[in-house]
Amino acid sequence: MGRCPQPASDPAPYHVFMGLQVGDIVRLSNPENDREGSARYTIIEHNGDRILMRLHCDLPIPPVELARPSDVIPAGDRAGTPRSDSPQR
């Protein structure tokens, strides 16, 4: 079974919200600690008022989290590359 077609009045595809698209790298907009602040995620699915995002990590099966689009912002950097404000190892 395929997806139901979007109504003609819908101005944006189902996966676009607040400038975020499937495949975008994002971070939490209001992290509670430094570890959350440094975590990066890739949006893998958009379900209207919820997004599924995969954590960038070294685990064989990375965790997938559910979030509201308002809880994330574009990361502004590439996964795996240090940000200018992060300490160098």
Side-chain angles (χ1 to χ4, degrees):
M1 294 252 156
R3 288 190 180 266
C4 295
Q6 294 294 312
S9 62
D10 188 3
Y14 74 96
H15 64 275
V16 177
F17 182 80
M18 294 175 41
L20 299 175
Q21 298 182 359
V22 172
D24 284 354
I25 298 172
V26 296
R27 62 185 171 95
L28 297 176
S29 60
N30 192 17
E32 293 191 17
N33 55 46
D34 290 339
R35 185 172 233 175
E36 281 187 359
S38 64
R40 297 295 180 264
Y41 303 86
T42 298
I43 296 175
I44 57 173
E45 189 174 326
H46 194 292
N47 295 323
D49 63 343
R50 297 284 185 260
I51 58 172
L52 288 174
M53 53 189 193
R54 181 179 300 126
L55 178 66
H56 292 203
C57 64
D58 295 333
L59 297 173
I61 302 174
V64 173
E65 296 189 33
L66 182 67
R68 289 178 284 176
S70 61
D71 291 340
V72 298
I73 57 175
D77 59 13
R78 290 187 180 190
T81 58
R83 297 181 313 185
S84 59
D85 62 339
S86 64
Q88 299 293 324
R89 293 182 188 207

PDB file of all heavy atoms in Angstrom, residues 8-22:
ATOM      1  N   ALA A   8      -4.300  19.072  -2.433  1.00  0.00           N
ATOM      2  CA  ALA A   8      -3.752  20.102  -3.320  1.00  0.00           C
ATOM      3  C   ALA A   8      -3.502  21.415  -2.577  1.00  0.00           C
ATOM      4  O   ALA A   8      -2.654  22.205  -2.975  1.00  0.00           O
ATOM      5  CB  ALA A   8      -4.691  20.326  -4.493  1.00  0.00           C
ATOM      6  N   SER A   9      -4.215  21.659  -1.490  1.00  0.00           N
ATOM      7  CA  SER A   9      -4.051  22.913  -0.749  1.00  0.00           C
ATOM      8  C   SER A   9      -2.809  22.908   0.139  1.00  0.00           C
ATOM      9  O   SER A   9      -2.433  23.943   0.672  1.00  0.00           O
ATOM     10  CB  SER A   9      -5.286  23.182   0.105  1.00  0.00           C
ATOM     11  OG  SER A   9      -5.433  22.142   1.059  1.00  0.00           O
ATOM     12  N   ASP A  10      -2.160  21.743   0.312  1.00  0.00           N
ATOM     13  CA  ASP A  10      -0.969  21.655   1.156  1.00  0.00           C
ATOM     14  C   ASP A  10       0.205  22.322   0.432  1.00  0.00           C
ATOM     15  O   ASP A  10       0.637  21.843  -0.606  1.00  0.00           O
ATOM     16  CB  ASP A  10      -0.653  20.186   1.453  1.00  0.00           C
ATOM     17  CG  ASP A  10       0.444  20.017   2.482  1.00  0.00           C
ATOM     18  OD1 ASP A  10       0.925  21.045   3.014  1.00  0.00           O
ATOM     19  OD2 ASP A  10       0.822  18.875   2.751  1.00  0.00           O
ATOM     20  N   PRO A  11       0.733  23.434   0.957  1.00  0.00           N
ATOM     21  CA  PRO A  11       1.780  24.166   0.243  1.00  0.00           C
ATOM     22  C   PRO A  11       3.153  23.505   0.282  1.00  0.00           C
ATOM     23  O   PRO A  11       4.007  23.826  -0.510  1.00  0.00           O
ATOM     24  CB  PRO A  11       1.829  25.518   0.973  1.00  0.00           C
ATOM     25  CG  PRO A  11       1.377  25.182   2.357  1.00  0.00           C
ATOM     26  CD  PRO A  11       0.373  24.075   2.197  1.00  0.00           C
ATOM     27  N   ALA A  12       3.386  22.562   1.199  1.00  0.00           N
ATOM     28  CA  ALA A  12       4.707  21.953   1.323  1.00  0.00           C
ATOM     29  C   ALA A  12       4.574  20.440   1.384  1.00  0.00           C
ATOM     30  O   ALA A  12       3.566  19.920   1.846  1.00  0.00           O
ATOM     31  CB  ALA A  12       5.396  22.462   2.594  1.00  0.00           C
ATOM     32  N   PRO A  13       5.600  19.721   0.917  1.00  0.00           N
ATOM     33  CA  PRO A  13       5.570  18.266   1.055  1.00  0.00           C
ATOM     34  C   PRO A  13       5.468  17.873   2.522  1.00  0.00           C
ATOM     35  O   PRO A  13       5.818  18.641   3.420  1.00  0.00           O
ATOM     36  CB  PRO A  13       6.905  17.819   0.472  1.00  0.00           C
ATOM     37  CG  PRO A  13       7.398  18.961  -0.318  1.00  0.00           C
ATOM     38  CD  PRO A  13       6.789  20.196   0.262  1.00  0.00           C
ATOM     39  N   TYR A  14       5.014  16.626   2.793  1.00  0.00           N
ATOM     40  CA  TYR A  14       4.783  16.188   4.166  1.00  0.00           C
ATOM     41  C   TYR A  14       6.040  16.186   5.009  1.00  0.00           C
ATOM     42  O   TYR A  14       5.974  16.252   6.220  1.00  0.00           O
ATOM     43  CB  TYR A  14       4.148  14.800   4.179  1.00  0.00           C
ATOM     44  CG  TYR A  14       5.112  13.694   3.836  1.00  0.00           C
ATOM     45  CD1 TYR A  14       5.753  12.976   4.834  1.00  0.00           C
ATOM     46  CD2 TYR A  14       5.398  13.385   2.525  1.00  0.00           C
ATOM     47  CE1 TYR A  14       6.644  11.975   4.510  1.00  0.00           C
ATOM     48  CE2 TYR A  14       6.298  12.397   2.200  1.00  0.00           C
ATOM     49  CZ  TYR A  14       6.914  11.695   3.195  1.00  0.00           C
ATOM     50  OH  TYR A  14       7.802  10.721   2.895  1.00  0.00           O
ATOM     51  N   HIS A  15       7.227  16.116   4.402  1.00  0.00           N
ATOM     52  CA  HIS A  15       8.470  16.006   5.168  1.00  0.00           C
ATOM     53  C   HIS A  15       9.163  17.341   5.419  1.00  0.00           C
ATOM     54  O   HIS A  15      10.256  17.376   5.947  1.00  0.00           O
ATOM     55  CB  HIS A  15       9.427  15.040   4.471  1.00  0.00           C
ATOM     56  CG  HIS A  15       9.870  15.522   3.125  1.00  0.00           C
ATOM     57  ND1 HIS A  15       9.137  15.293   2.001  1.00  0.00           N
ATOM     58  CD2 HIS A  15      10.953  16.211   2.739  1.00  0.00           C
ATOM     59  CE1 HIS A  15       9.751  15.828   0.960  1.00  0.00           C
ATOM     60  NE2 HIS A  15      10.848  16.390   1.386  1.00  0.00           N
ATOM     61  N   VAL A  16       8.537  18.433   5.038  1.00  0.00           N
ATOM     62  CA  VAL A  16       9.155  19.751   5.234  1.00  0.00           C
ATOM     63  C   VAL A  16       8.388  20.495   6.323  1.00  0.00           C
ATOM     64  O   VAL A  16       7.182  20.617   6.252  1.00  0.00           O
ATOM     65  CB  VAL A  16       9.143  20.572   3.928  1.00  0.00           C
ATOM     66  CG1 VAL A  16       9.721  21.950   4.157  1.00  0.00           C
ATOM     67  CG2 VAL A  16       9.894  19.845   2.839  1.00  0.00           C
ATOM     68  N   PHE A  17       9.091  20.953   7.343  1.00  0.00           N
ATOM     69  CA  PHE A  17       8.460  21.710   8.413  1.00  0.00           C
ATOM     70  C   PHE A  17       9.505  22.644   8.990  1.00  0.00           C
ATOM     71  O   PHE A  17      10.587  22.207   9.352  1.00  0.00           O
ATOM     72  CB  PHE A  17       7.941  20.763   9.495  1.00  0.00           C
ATOM     73  CG  PHE A  17       7.230  21.478  10.607  1.00  0.00           C
ATOM     74  CD1 PHE A  17       5.932  21.882  10.456  1.00  0.00           C
ATOM     75  CD2 PHE A  17       7.880  21.743  11.794  1.00  0.00           C
ATOM     76  CE1 PHE A  17       5.283  22.538  11.482  1.00  0.00           C
ATOM     77  CE2 PHE A  17       7.233  22.402  12.832  1.00  0.00           C
ATOM     78  CZ  PHE A  17       5.930  22.789  12.664  1.00  0.00           C
ATOM     79  N   MET A  18       9.185  23.903   9.065  1.00  0.00           N
ATOM     80  CA  MET A  18      10.097  24.888   9.642  1.00  0.00           C
ATOM     81  C   MET A  18      11.475  24.824   8.990  1.00  0.00           C
ATOM     82  O   MET A  18      12.486  25.002   9.640  1.00  0.00           O
ATOM     83  CB  MET A  18      10.214  24.670  11.153  1.00  0.00           C
ATOM     84  CG  MET A  18       8.933  24.934  11.888  1.00  0.00           C
ATOM     85  SD  MET A  18       8.981  24.558  13.653  1.00  0.00           S
ATOM     86  CE  MET A  18      10.564  25.136  14.167  1.00  0.00           C
ATOM     87  N   GLY A  19      11.540  24.518   7.698  1.00  0.00           N
ATOM     88  CA  GLY A  19      12.820  24.462   7.002  1.00  0.00           C
ATOM     89  C   GLY A  19      13.588  23.174   7.227  1.00  0.00           C
ATOM     90  O   GLY A  19      14.682  23.021   6.712  1.00  0.00           O
ATOM     91  N   LEU A  20      13.062  22.231   7.985  1.00  0.00           N
ATOM     92  CA  LEU A  20      13.733  20.959   8.226  1.00  0.00           C
ATOM     93  C   LEU A  20      13.231  19.929   7.238  1.00  0.00           C
ATOM     94  O   LEU A  20      12.036  19.870   6.955  1.00  0.00           O
ATOM     95  CB  LEU A  20      13.474  20.471   9.648  1.00  0.00           C
ATOM     96  CG  LEU A  20      13.953  21.376  10.767  1.00  0.00           C
ATOM     97  CD1 LEU A  20      13.512  20.813  12.107  1.00  0.00           C
ATOM     98  CD2 LEU A  20      15.464  21.510  10.726  1.00  0.00           C
ATOM     99  N   GLN A  21      14.160  19.098   6.725  1.00  0.00           N
ATOM    100  CA  GLN A  21      13.798  18.066   5.777  1.00  0.00           C
ATOM    101  C   GLN A  21      14.404  16.742   6.194  1.00  0.00           C
ATOM    102  O   GLN A  21      15.374  16.706   6.956  1.00  0.00           O
ATOM    103  CB  GLN A  21      14.299  18.415   4.388  1.00  0.00           C
ATOM    104  CG  GLN A  21      13.718  19.679   3.815  1.00  0.00           C
ATOM    105  CD  GLN A  21      14.224  19.914   2.418  1.00  0.00           C
ATOM    106  OE1 GLN A  21      15.014  19.153   1.887  1.00  0.00           O
ATOM    107  NE2 GLN A  21      13.765  20.984   1.812  1.00  0.00           N
ATOM    108  N   VAL A  22      13.852  15.670   5.669  1.00  0.00           N
ATOM    109  CA  VAL A  22      14.436  14.350   5.878  1.00  0.00           C
ATOM    110  C   VAL A  22      15.872  14.389   5.376  1.00  0.00           C
ATOM    111  O   VAL A  22      16.155  14.921   4.304  1.00  0.00           O
ATOM    112  CB  VAL A  22      13.614  13.273   5.137  1.00  0.00           C
ATOM    113  CG1 VAL A  22      14.310  11.935   5.177  1.00  0.00           C
ATOM    114  CG2 VAL A  22      12.218  13.174   5.743  1.00  0.00           C
TER     115      VAL A  22
END
